Amino acid sequence: MNFSELMTTLQAWIFETIVQPAMFYLGLGEFVEDSFEGVEWFIFGVLQLIVLFIILRPLESLIPVQKIENRYARWNDFIYTALHRLGAFSILIFFVLDPLLDKLTAVLHFEGVNPLNLENMWSGFLTYPALLFFAYLVVLDFFDYWYHRAEHQFDWWWGLHSLHHSQRDMNLWSDNRNHLLDDFLRDVYMGVIAIVIGVQPGQYVMLVMASQMLQSLQHANIRVHFGKIGEYFLVSPRFHRTHHAIGIGHETKGKGTLGGHNFAVLFPIWDVMFGTAYFSKEFALTGIRDQLPAPEGCSREYGTGFWSQQWLGLKRMCGLQK
């Protein structure tokens, strides 16, 4: 039995033994078919957590950028990672949007308007599935770049996103340290784009998984970069750490930027093209200037636990938290 067959067998067993009976017991039978795909998301999420811990956690001990001062903060970040990697948001949003956009597509077809679909743009995509997968990844990353820049541009949005940047002890679990409302908005945004360009549910799971694994690497507390040339092709831990740097990355207003540098999620080409790239050779300290004691900052409170961080984020968004 190969890996694919093993995963399919495990997915079917979990679905038939646990998920399907639970769905019918809770009166959610109409969603049973969609929940089968959710099981796949869950399995791959568990695999992600295992792989990340086995590979990145030892590297953080061997070649750390800094000593982790607050170990509780790292465990708190793990809660965020587990919540997101096990499919709590993305797959739900995708399946909610899918039928809605199917209806919209039918209406557009009736009016003679055909939504963009990458498979229809070049027949070679059907011959080379790996190339189509990469094309999806590039298109989604382009839109993700602009979403990220918007998070830094608008005050109310930064009120939510600043939670992500408030981690002074950035680590492999910090990628998902986000406000839930911000994640909801992003998942709706990315889900709509994925469906419009023709991404299928099974493909979407793998695309999100690939992106998440790379983003965990970027946030890891490891002294790693990809060399003079490689830094231009894939976002490295050093490149992204510059984005999180106090007074260097997200807090500067360089020429032609929207409040900082290195907004690319996977491919630095977007930062290069739109003038926001900053290739520093330093591994800077991370955080937000206003976390620092006066006179450097105003010692703003971002919360120490999951729920306090979520509550304070809403207050910052509404201008009630200084």
Side-chain angles (χ1 to χ4, degrees):
M1 181 180 294
N2 59 36
F3 179 77
S4 178
E5 292 174 340
L6 178 61
M7 289 297 100
T8 301
T9 301
L10 179 60
Q11 180 182 5
W13 182 85
I14 293 176
F15 175 75
E16 294 171 0
T17 307
I18 302 173
V19 176
Q20 184 172 253
M23 295 288 285
F24 282 120
Y25 178 79
L26 296 172
L28 301 174
E30 59 183 306
F31 301 106
V32 166
E33 184 176 346
D34 290 340
S35 67
F36 183 75
E37 300 292 344
V39 173
E40 179 183 27
W41 192 281
F42 174 82
I43 293 172
F44 279 113
V46 172
L47 289 177
Q48 279 191 72
L49 296 180
I50 294 172
V51 171
L52 290 173
F53 188 81
I54 291 176
I55 296 178
L56 292 183
R57 187 64 191 87
L59 287 176
E60 287 192 324
S61 297
L62 290 172
I63 49 174
V65 174
Q66 66 182 82
K67 180 181 178 181
I68 296 295
E69 300 293 338
N70 187 349
R71 296 186 180 279
Y72 172 78
R74 181 166 61 190
W75 279 108
N76 191 56
D77 286 358
F78 176 76
I79 294 174
Y80 283 98
T81 301
L83 182 65
H84 288 79
R85 299 302 168 91
L86 299 181
F89 288 101
S90 299
I91 200 67
L92 175 63
I93 298 298
F94 190 88
F95 283 117
V96 168
L97 289 174
D98 197 24
L100 295 178
L101 286 185
D102 278 346
K103 294 180 181 179
L104 176 60
T105 300
V107 172
L108 292 175
H109 277 308
F110 183 77
E111 298 294 332
V113 178
N114 295 315
L116 174 68
N117 188 310
L118 293 188
E119 289 186 10
N120 298 332
M121 295 180 65
W122 182 50
S123 60
F125 278 138
L126 299 178
T127 307
Y128 304 101
L131 189 59
L132 177 62
F133 183 88
F134 180 72
Y136 283 144
L137 202 61
V138 170
V139 172
L140 291 173
D141 191 57
F142 171 78
F143 285 99
D144 213 1
Y145 167 84
W146 288 105
Y147 182 94
H148 191 188
R149 284 187 69 166
E151 289 178 306
H152 288 258
Q153 172 67 7
F154 301 100
D155 289 343
W156 70 268
W157 217 337
W158 171 248
L160 297 176
H161 185 57
S162 56
L163 166 61
H164 179 69
H165 282 270
S166 66
Q167 178 57 284
R168 303 293 302 279
D169 293 306
M170 200 164 75
N171 61 88
L172 76 112
W173 309 120
S174 296
D175 169 43
N176 295 115
R177 176 192 168 102
N178 301 305
H179 198 280
L180 297 183
L181 177 57
D182 196 11
D183 276 328
F184 174 79
L185 294 174
R186 180 182 177 275
D187 284 346
V188 170
Y189 169 80
M190 297 300 289
V192 168
I193 294 169
I195 292 170
V196 168
I197 64 176
V199 178
Q200 299 301 311
Q203 293 172 315
Y204 191 62
V205 172
M206 299 305 296
L207 286 164
V208 172
M209 180 177 174
S211 178
Q212 287 178 335
M213 294 291 281
L214 289 171
Q215 290 179 68
S216 291
L217 170 64
Q218 296 163 14
H219 289 83
N221 180 37
I222 55 177
R223 194 170 290 275
V224 169
H225 63 87
F226 297 152
K228 187 175 181 179
I229 297 176
E231 291 282 283
Y232 283 86
F233 288 95
L234 190 65
V235 173
S236 71
R238 185 175 70 179
F239 184 86
H240 191 67
R241 192 175 185 88
T242 300
H243 173 69
H244 278 259
I246 302 173
I248 300 176
H250 61 94
E251 295 181 299
T252 59
K253 293 185 179 296
K255 182 179 179 181
T257 73
L258 295 177
H261 302 281
N262 300 7
F263 297 100
V265 178
L266 298 181
F267 306 118
I269 184 62
W270 311 127
D271 282 303
V272 174
M273 288 177 61
F274 301 111
T276 53
Y278 180 51
F279 293 95
S280 172
K281 294 183 179 180
E282 303 297 325
F283 288 85
L285 295 178
T286 63
I288 303 176
R289 184 183 285 111
D290 65 19
Q291 291 173 297
L292 302 176
E296 290 85 357
C298 60
S299 298
R300 176 176 287 188
E301 175 62 35
Y302 287 90
T304 56
F306 180 88
W307 292 114
S308 66
Q309 290 168 352
Q310 296 299 305
W311 172 240
L312 289 171
L314 292 175
K315 292 178 70 174
R316 287 194 303 274
M317 180 186 71
C318 298
L320 301 176
Q321 175 70 22
K322 299 299 183 180

